[in-house]
Amino acid sequence: MRLFALCLVLSGLLGQSAWAAELTAVVLSVNPQQYLAFHNAAQQFSAAHPAIKLTLRVVENEQYKRELPAMLSSATPPDVLFMFGGVALTDAVQKGQLAMLDRPGQVNDWQQHMPPALLRLVTVEGKPYGVPLSYYPWAIYYNKLALAKAGVAPPTTFAELLASCDRLRAAGVAPITIAAKDLWPLAGWFDYLDLRMNGLEFHQQLLQGKQSWLRPQLAQVFSAWQQLRDHHCYDSDSAALDWRASLPMLYNQRAGMMLMGSFWTGQLPSRKVNEIGMIAFPKIAAAESTYEEAPADVLVMTAKAAHRQEAEQFLRFFATPAVQAALASATGVLPARQDAPVANAPFLRQGRTLLNHASGFSQFFDRDSHAQFAARAMPILREFAYGQLSATEAQRKLEAERNRDYGPLSGKR
């Protein structure tokens, strides 16, 4: 699929000579539907604020991630940027790159209508630095016809997941499509194994460099991951595919399952919707708390924004229920506002139920850790997943990268 980017200059109902102010914003889009949803929202904003000349760039997901560090560190950054909640936002705040949103009139009522767990993701030292747009669950998506062909029920335990890999492969179906070219889909497997076995607090400490990768708890995680290797769960053909290219593997019955965020469902052909099911990542221990990946997408104002008043108006507009509902529906995710309507779209209501039953949320491997560490660590995870490294070798390399990025640990970990 080609990359897409959109640059709009919108001025409401007035001519160029009547523009009283300007505003620049750059946002991320994962599919053409979201691309169009941002376009429509920008037009609505300009109609409501005709004196503002809005320049909006909508950039494809992977390209945006590459451009974001330079935009944040620029001497003349855009006024508003799309950001990820959690550590990425906190790092930008600590570098002085984001503006605080605590002046009267900046936040209005939107904070009253969002889950506390989401608000914590945009809060640093008690102050808000972003407006949550949406959040979404990660889950196991499965092809009902492919599983039925192999006589497999959707797995609810790790043992059932391993057994399903054997039966799917015996039936001529790739058990799991992985999209390893992008690295982050594979990192999701580590996240879930660690969350299921060691819990949210340990997982977040690990990704923030506060735990050693040589800890015995992680040897157990890699041992469980080794079992996925031993049962040939990952499809080798999808190792060279990016996440979009891997989707037909699932919905065309060439693969049985996929671990992915719900945003992918925006690219699911309508004729295939009823053939796809969704379940939480299987339990590994019967008594474990259920933590889920639920990344949050956020809009922020840059610290060097040249048009702060206009940026505040833009953020308030994108915090309204109608705008959040439209953007979320286009992407197959949940609006951050709980009073925003959830579209009657596949998997959205099921996703909210899944998250409502969770004990807590993580953000994601490359959102819960420093960008430099994640960029070097995720290839190591891929090498392990595809048998190029042993567990011990992977742990040692990951610990070396942790030490390189975060520095030596103080005390015993």
Side-chain angles (χ1 to χ4, degrees):
M1 178 179 290
R2 67 181 179 85
L3 298 181
F4 50 86
L6 172 71
C7 186
L8 296 172
V9 179
L10 298 166
S11 57
L13 304 176
L14 302 181
Q16 182 172 347
S17 61
W19 287 335
E22 297 187 7
L23 172 67
T24 60
V26 186
V27 297
L28 172 153
S29 178
V30 298
N31 60 32
Q33 292 84 0
Q34 188 182 26
Y35 168 103
L36 292 175
F38 271 121
H39 173 273
N40 293 335
Q43 288 185 319
Q44 293 168 19
F45 174 83
S46 290
H49 301 86
I52 298 176
K53 177 186 176 182
L54 169 64
T55 301
L56 175 72
R57 281 186 67 218
V58 184
V59 183
E60 186 271 339
N61 181 50
E62 299 301 328
Q63 180 182 340
Y64 187 90
K65 291 178 182 178
R66 291 190 293 269
E67 292 185 12
L68 181 59
M71 289 190 290
L72 284 169
S73 61
S74 171
T76 56
D79 300 302
V80 173
L81 287 172
F82 181 103
M83 279 285 291
F84 304 120
V87 170
L89 183 142
T90 300
D91 284 350
V93 170
Q94 292 174 344
K95 293 175 182 176
Q97 296 170 335
L98 302 185
M100 192 185 304
L101 304 177
D102 66 340
R103 292 197 300 107
Q106 284 183 311
V107 294
N108 285 0
D109 71 336
W110 59 265
Q111 289 184 318
Q112 304 170 26
H113 298 284
M114 294 185 185
L118 282 182
L119 295 176
R120 285 195 292 271
L121 297 172
V122 297
T123 302
V124 181
E125 297 182 356
K127 301 294 185 180
Y129 283 86
V131 175
L133 278 181
S134 60
Y135 67 125
Y136 55 91
W138 275 62
I140 296 278
Y141 294 87
Y142 62 93
N143 189 294
K144 298 174 183 178
L145 300 178
L147 265 61
K149 175 182 176 181
V152 171
T156 60
T157 68
F158 192 65
E160 290 175 358
L161 177 63
L162 297 175
S164 69
C165 290
D166 298 336
R167 297 184 69 172
L168 283 163
R169 191 163 292 283
V173 177
I176 296 170
T177 184
I178 201 68
K181 180 179 179 180
D182 284 328
L183 297 177
W184 53 263
L186 191 56
W189 283 88
F190 172 82
D191 281 348
Y192 262 111
L193 290 170
D194 193 40
L195 286 168
R196 290 291 186 263
M197 300 180 74
N198 295 319
L200 180 61
E201 182 178 3
F202 178 89
H203 182 69
Q204 291 179 328
Q205 288 180 352
L206 175 72
L207 295 186
Q208 292 167 19
K210 299 175 182 177
Q211 295 283 354
S212 169
W213 284 83
L214 303 179
R215 293 291 298 271
Q217 295 97 314
L218 291 165
Q220 295 173 5
V221 170
F222 280 95
S223 177
W225 207 353
Q226 176 68 49
Q227 293 181 65
L228 290 168
R229 280 172 38 177
D230 294 343
H231 286 261
H232 305 288
C233 291
Y234 295 152
D235 172 45
S236 59
D237 291 340
S238 66
L241 299 178
D242 64 23
W243 71 274
R244 291 189 184 86
S246 71
L247 301 182
M249 294 283 295
L250 181 71
Y251 62 69
N252 287 333
Q253 300 182 52
R254 298 201 302 273
M257 293 173 283
M258 174 180 70
L259 177 65
M260 185 62 69
S262 66
F263 57 82
W264 86 272
T265 61
Q267 301 197 41
L268 178 61
S270 58
R271 68 184 186 281
K272 299 286 187 178
V273 167
N274 292 333
E275 299 175 9
I276 303 298
M278 171 186 175
I279 55 172
F281 192 93
K283 283 181 170 286
I284 298 178
E288 70 192 18
S289 297
T290 303
Y291 299 108
E292 303 294 346
E293 299 263 44
D297 295 336
V298 176
L299 288 181
V300 298
M301 176 169 39
T302 56
K304 297 178 182 178
H307 312 100
R308 297 176 73 90
Q309 183 176 349
E310 292 74 25
E312 291 171 8
Q313 292 176 294
F314 189 83
L315 293 178
R316 285 198 297 271
F317 178 80
F318 275 83
T320 59
V323 172
Q324 292 212 344
L327 285 170
S329 177
T331 324
V333 299
L334 296 165
R337 287 187 68 127
Q338 299 299 283
D339 59 341
V342 176
N344 187 24
F347 313 113
L348 282 182
R349 296 187 186 276
Q350 188 178 353
R352 175 162 281 178
T353 299
L354 186 155
L355 295 182
N356 285 344
H357 287 88
S359 303
F361 303 155
S362 62
Q363 283 302 280
F364 198 70
F365 192 97
D366 62 353
R367 298 191 185 192
D368 279 330
S369 58
H370 288 172
Q372 300 91 332
F373 171 77
R376 295 190 297 267
M378 290 191 294
I380 298 172
L381 297 178
R382 180 171 62 180
E383 290 175 346
F384 171 79
Y386 282 94
Q388 298 166 319
L389 292 175
S390 69
T392 300
E393 290 169 332
Q395 286 181 259
R396 287 175 177 169
K397 292 186 73 172
L398 289 162
E399 176 60 13
E401 295 299 345
R402 187 211 61 75
N403 192 62
R404 174 181 175 185
D405 190 75
Y406 296 99
L409 289 168
S410 58
K412 186 177 181 181
R413 297 283 181 175

